[in-house]
Amino acid sequence: MLRRLRAGDRAGAGEAILMWNRPAAIIPRRQGEFDQFRTPYETTLPRARRSDAQPVAAPVERPSSPSSARPAGARACGTGGAAGR
């Protein structure tokens, strides 16, 4: 699959996903991965399997809080400084 993708053959790479079909119980998962590969997230959210009624929930992006940001030049704990000398 990766060889085809690197060569620019996206359709072939998608078909190669379906070649990994053993054990047979994994086929629905591979079909879902094939669908995810072909469909951009902007179009629709992916489903884990084709038979799933609902798409997989989108990850929640958390805004970074200003209190967690360090000022420029500040070091993380335990990286030296006066206490580490």
Side-chain angles (χ1 to χ4, degrees):
M1 182 201 67
L2 188 56
R3 184 179 300 155
R4 292 178 183 191
L5 187 60
R6 287 181 177 163
D9 182 9
R10 286 191 55 82
E15 293 295 328
I17 291 172
L18 298 175
M19 290 179 184
W20 290 319
N21 57 6
R22 293 200 179 131
I26 204 165
I27 292 174
R29 178 178 171 176
R30 292 294 179 244
Q31 290 171 335
E33 291 168 347
F34 174 71
D35 293 341
Q36 289 176 24
F37 181 78
R38 289 187 330 185
T39 308
Y41 278 66
E42 296 83 28
T43 304
T44 185
L45 291 175
R47 297 173 189 264
R49 290 168 192 79
R50 286 183 179 173
S51 60
D52 289 350
Q54 296 294 322
V56 176
V60 178
E61 292 187 27
R62 297 181 181 161
S64 60
S65 62
S67 62
S68 65
R70 284 180 275 182
R75 295 182 180 186
C77 295
T79 59
R85 294 183 189 168

